[in-house]
Amino acid sequence: MYTAVFTINMDAVGNCPCNPSIGGTAKGHLVREIDALGGEMGKTTDETFLQSRMLNLGKGPAVHSLRAQIDRNHYARVMKHKLELQENLEVKQAEVTDIKKDGDLWLITTRMGAQYKCKAVILATGTFLGGKIFVGDVNFESGPDGMFPASFLTASLKELGIPLRRFKTGTPARVLRSSINFEGLEVQEGDEPVVPFSYMNSEKELKNTAVCHVSWTNSETKRIIEENIHLSPLYAGIIEGVGPRYCPSLEDKIVRFSEKPRHQLFIEPCGRDTEEMYLQGMSSSLPEHVQIAFYKTIKGLENVKIMRSAYAIEYDCVDPQALYATLEFKEHPGLYGAGQFNGSSGYEEAAAQGLVAGINAALKILGREQVVFGRDNSYIGTLIDDLVTKGCQDPYRMMTSRSEYRLVLRQDNADERLTPLGREIGLVDDERYERFLKKQEMKAEELKRAESIVFPPSEKLNEILVKKGTSPLNTGIRLSELLKRPQITYDDIKEIDITRPDLPRAVFEAVEIEFKYSGYIKRQKADISEMRRIENKLLPEDIDYSEIKGLRLEAREKLNKVRPVNIGQASRISGVSPADISVLLIWLSAK
Ligand SMILES: Cc1cc2nc3c(=O)[nH]c(=O)nc-3n(C[C@H](O)[C@H](O)[C@H](O)COP(=O)(O)OP(=O)(O)OC[C@H]3O[C@@H](n4cnc5c(N)ncnc54)[C@H](O)[C@@H]3O)c2cc1C
């Protein structure tokens, strides 16, 4: 028995068809969580990045998020090689055209006619399934980056009764570096020191090697797009698929935010050995001649040469409410969905779901209990619960605002939240686990030290406090109390903290957050215990909600569609009111 991964084109493995970057707000949290569980995304990003920045440092630690500009080709090569080296895994270039049930097994057939009998199958077709490209009035069947689409599987999935719908997304042009005038453009540098994505790496090994540049659209850009908006396949109604609300095309931004005089763009390198530059924030599906005209209105792009035009892609994906939180299909045991196929958008969201579907398909085959990631332990859990419980009407992008526990689900403590679970599942190897235990030990020691160290009042201490805009002292103070002051960080007091051990920066940051936010964290943990209490109120699988008196009609329909596994999930279904939940609780207690 072995695992096989099928792709229409081997060069699509690890390919980033849109922005050449990994992470960003909330997406960085997902990458850290994948890493904490033993995944490869964080390590590969650290190995192939060009520039790294911690976003939102001006705000609280709940929204601090890592984002790295990557060498796109290098990233794909490294990922593909890791798959090729993986024991018990075969990577196959073959288009799957048919899937059907064969007794307890799944039978898949490729375009060449090869057949494979499988105990479990994970569908992660991305933007390839029924892929169709749009540039102005030109459209044709294609996957991203000029690759073949998956043209046959949709029919087979529909035969199985799988609820599919059309989504769309778009990408900007790639332009020639030497055709850009960088003079006068704002330069965006990476952070020093670089914070690694992977808990297996330390900042000492990582260096930025590239910068990004910032520019803006202007009234001329707006005029050209407004004058040609009738040529947009989106506004001409040619594109049926629903696009991502939080990654709008430039024409979308111009129409939806018409009061805004300008829109920001980032000019990002795509790699060390390529002259392609990515225009972040400028995706479009307008005709090529209009693209050339509006790009040339932008400062720095006056003489721009387009290498790859911007385009929109429409594709088939599933209604994720057809899935359990294990990502297994409710109606098709052994069949799983992952990635963009589940209605999400983004590399990080796709990778997180691929990991969960992979874990559960393997556990199912091994006869072990499958794993559900909760909203209380991870953004992975929040992502999947949102998809399978609330569903999505447009491509779902992860954001920190989607989590009600974001102060507990920070990007810095993903290992504390998930590495023990990864170890239990069998994904976390000894090296990673020992490194994790060591870090926990260091943190516990430092917490103890901070609680025990008392700094006597001194001129030096008061000088620091006054300089940081907080009140001076005339009595001694514990290190922990000092760190509770919002203005004071470990860096600020290193001169007086002479017994400080030499620990990784991540340990000091984790301890500082514990002290600074202890009250909020305590409150959020209390909310989590309350949530767990109602999450544990399980609902029988075979309920016919239309028979429960007192439930409103909409609630009956939604509950019968989603079939929640517990009261907590039921309470998050849109259209199920608190009154409906009370009816359910009474019904349950009468059982
Ligand atoms: C034009 C475009 C714009 C995008 N815009 C955004 C954006 O704005 N924001 C954002 O966050 N993300 C965006 N994305 C990124 C998107 O999230 C990614 O496409 C992400 O890579 C999805 O990952 P995935 O693994 O689900 O699918 P993909 O990376 O698309 O991989 C799917 C894999 O499945 C294979 N496959 C499909 N069907 C079959 C079959 N029948 N048989 C065998 N193999 C098959 C393909 O060959 C491919 O290897 C965009 C992508 C594209 C193409």
Side-chain angles (χ1 to χ4, degrees):
M1 184 160 64
Y2 64 92
T3 302
V5 58
F6 291 87
T7 175
I8 295 172
N9 182 326
M10 289 294 263
D11 303 319
V13 175
N15 178 39
C16 295
C18 192
N19 48 332
S21 69
I22 300 287
T25 304
K27 289 168 179 273
H29 294 61
L30 289 171
V31 180
R32 274 273 170 95
E33 293 180 359
I34 292 165
D35 185 74
L37 287 162
E40 291 295 332
M41 196 174 208
K43 287 192 281 185
T44 307
T45 306
D46 287 346
E47 198 179 329
T48 62
F49 83 102
L50 302 168
Q51 184 214 54
S52 172
R53 301 176 66 235
M54 184 68 82
L55 307 183
N56 308 323
L57 278 177
K59 302 177 183 159
V63 291
H64 291 177
S65 295
L66 260 183
R67 182 183 186 277
Q69 211 59 43
I70 54 165
D71 181 319
R72 178 177 172 223
N73 298 337
H74 189 192
Y75 181 93
R77 279 201 311 277
V78 171
M79 267 304 187
K80 177 171 171 279
H81 198 203
K82 286 183 176 177
L83 261 68
E84 292 161 352
L85 293 171
Q86 176 61 46
E87 266 182 62
N88 295 329
L89 178 68
E90 294 200 16
V91 191
K92 295 184 179 302
Q93 177 161 311
E95 180 185 350
V96 174
T97 54
D98 186 63
I99 178 168
K100 57 170 62 65
K101 201 72 188 145
D102 179 10
D104 293 342
L105 300 176
W106 286 95
L107 179 68
I108 64 162
T109 307
T110 70
R111 194 154 186 183
M112 305 296 186
Q115 294 197 313
Y116 298 82
K117 289 192 176 176
C118 320
K119 286 192 170 180
V121 172
I122 301 172
L123 298 165
T125 52
T127 53
F128 288 75
L129 192 63
K132 194 172 184 180
I133 298 287
F134 295 80
V135 181
D137 58 3
V138 177
N139 55 68
F140 51 90
E141 293 192 350
S142 175
D145 292 329
M147 294 181 189
F148 282 138
S151 311
F152 301 92
L153 193 56
T154 296
S156 175
L157 296 177
K158 284 188 174 159
E159 245 174 69
L160 285 171
I162 289 184
L164 295 177
R165 63 267 187 86
R166 274 317 250 171
F167 273 5
K168 82 105 189 168
T169 186
T171 196
R174 286 16 167 220
V175 300
L176 184 64
R177 189 196 307 264
S178 59
S179 72
I180 301 172
N181 176 6
F182 292 102
E183 210 156 316
L185 294 184
E186 180 194 332
V187 179
Q188 198 182 55
E189 308 267 358
D191 294 342
E192 294 298 346
V194 170
V195 176
F197 256 117
S198 177
Y199 292 101
M200 298 306 284
N201 293 327
S202 86
E203 58 201 37
K204 297 195 184 78
E205 303 139 8
L206 306 177
K207 283 274 167 282
N208 293 299
T209 56
V211 296
C212 296
H213 291 83
V214 181
S215 188
W216 296 83
T217 66
N218 49 49
S219 56
E220 247 323 80
T221 325
K222 189 165 187 286
R223 181 186 63 75
I224 289 176
I225 289 183
E226 284 173 343
E227 281 177 9
N228 290 285
I229 199 73
H230 61 288
L231 300 175
S232 147
L234 190 65
Y235 287 88
I238 300 171
I239 291 181
E240 294 158 29
V242 184
R245 182 174 186 73
Y246 297 104
C247 287
S249 65
L250 181 56
E251 45 266 34
D252 247 350
K253 288 184 214 176
I254 298 261
V255 172
R256 279 167 46 192
F257 314 109
S258 54
E259 73 294 346
K260 280 185 86 174
R262 62 182 191 158
H263 296 275
Q264 189 176 46
L265 67 144
F266 297 89
I267 303 172
E268 303 174 345
C270 294
R272 286 189 189 83
D273 49 10
T274 170
E275 295 310 300
E276 286 189 67
M277 300 295 278
Y278 178 88
L279 303 179
Q280 163 76 301
M282 296 291 113
S283 75
S284 172
S285 58
L286 283 163
E288 287 190 328
H289 70 277
V290 179
Q291 291 184 25
I292 295 167
F294 79 67
Y295 281 135
K296 285 194 170 185
T297 64
I298 297 168
K299 184 171 168 39
L301 303 183
E302 295 82 355
N303 303 307
V304 75
K305 291 201 172 81
I306 293 182
M307 298 174 76
R308 304 180 200 227
S309 298
Y311 67 90
I313 186 165
E314 225 183 39
Y315 55 95
D316 297 325
C317 58
V318 74
D319 173 352
Q321 290 181 312
L323 304 168
Y324 286 120
T326 56
L327 296 184
E328 186 175 19
F329 276 88
K330 292 171 184 163
E331 307 300 328
H332 303 285
L335 189 62
Y336 294 78
Q340 195 104 358
F341 173 74
N342 286 354
S344 67
S345 179
Y347 313 131
E348 305 78 5
E349 290 84 345
Q353 293 167 71
L355 182 61
V356 173
I359 289 171
N360 285 324
L363 290 176
K364 183 171 179 99
I365 292 171
L366 295 168
R368 287 171 57 189
E369 195 183 340
Q370 299 191 56
V371 176
V372 170
F373 287 76
R375 304 183 70 88
D376 56 333
N377 73 4
S378 60
Y379 274 90
I380 294 176
T382 309
L383 160 69
I384 293 175
D385 182 65
D386 280 352
L387 287 174
V388 303
T389 303
K390 301 176 184 168
C392 57
Q393 302 319 314
D394 61 287
Y396 176 104
R397 187 195 185 292
M398 183 42 87
M399 298 180 286
T400 46
S401 56
R402 293 198 192 271
S403 170
E404 57 276 38
Y405 308 122
R406 52 183 175 272
L407 191 54
V408 171
L409 306 186
R410 302 183 313 274
Q411 53 92 31
D412 64 277
N413 69 359
D415 54 347
E416 280 176 32
R417 295 183 276 114
L418 296 172
T419 296
L421 174 62
R423 183 72 173 172
E424 215 181 289
I425 295 170
L427 286 177
V428 167
D429 61 19
D430 294 348
E431 187 199 354
R432 178 181 290 274
Y433 200 55
E434 272 145 34
R435 197 178 174 118
F436 164 71
L437 293 177
K438 183 94 189 80
K439 183 182 164 203
Q440 295 311 99
E441 203 184 298
M442 289 193 274
K443 186 181 167 196
E445 285 302 311
E446 181 55 19
L447 281 166
K448 245 193 306 180
R449 186 184 79 92
E451 292 282 13
S452 61
I453 286 268
V454 177
F455 300 122
S458 69
E459 215 177 298
K460 184 70 209 161
L461 174 58
N462 282 341
E463 198 187 299
I464 295 170
L465 295 177
V466 170
K467 203 164 134 223
K468 296 299 291 186
T470 180
S471 50
L473 289 158
N474 47 29
T475 59
I477 185 167
R478 282 180 202 289
L479 169 55
S480 55
E481 288 309 313
L482 257 184
L483 290 171
K484 282 184 183 159
R485 294 192 179 197
Q487 305 88 339
I488 301 296
T489 68
Y490 263 105
D491 283 346
D492 302 324
I493 49 176
K494 63 176 171 281
E495 274 177 75
I496 58 166
D497 185 14
I498 44 180
T499 63
R500 177 180 301 183
D502 176 21
L503 299 175
R505 175 187 288 271
V507 173
F508 289 122
E509 278 172 8
V511 170
E512 200 175 298
I513 292 170
E514 295 268 344
F515 286 127
K516 268 193 178 48
Y517 297 88
S518 49
Y520 301 104
I521 292 172
K522 207 156 152 240
R523 217 170 308 138
Q524 234 169 52
K525 285 190 172 165
D527 296 347
I528 286 176
S529 340
E530 175 51 21
M531 186 271 274
R532 284 189 183 142
R533 195 181 61 75
I534 61 168
E535 283 291 294
N536 295 336
K537 287 192 183 304
L538 301 181
L539 287 161
E541 269 190 44
D542 57 356
I543 307 180
D544 180 353
Y545 289 96
S546 44
E547 286 175 4
I548 300 184
K549 298 218 170 2
L551 279 182
R552 291 169 316 106
L553 184 61
E554 183 190 7
R556 291 178 190 195
E557 285 165 4
K558 293 275 177 73
L559 288 164
N560 273 331
K561 178 181 180 192
V562 177
R563 310 208 63 74
V565 292
N566 56 47
I567 288 287
Q569 191 185 12
S571 67
R572 292 190 294 275
I573 299 171
S574 62
V576 176
S577 70
D580 294 314
I581 294 298
S582 318
V583 170
L584 267 183
L585 285 168
I586 296 163
W587 182 86
L588 262 181
S589 59
K591 292 276 295 158

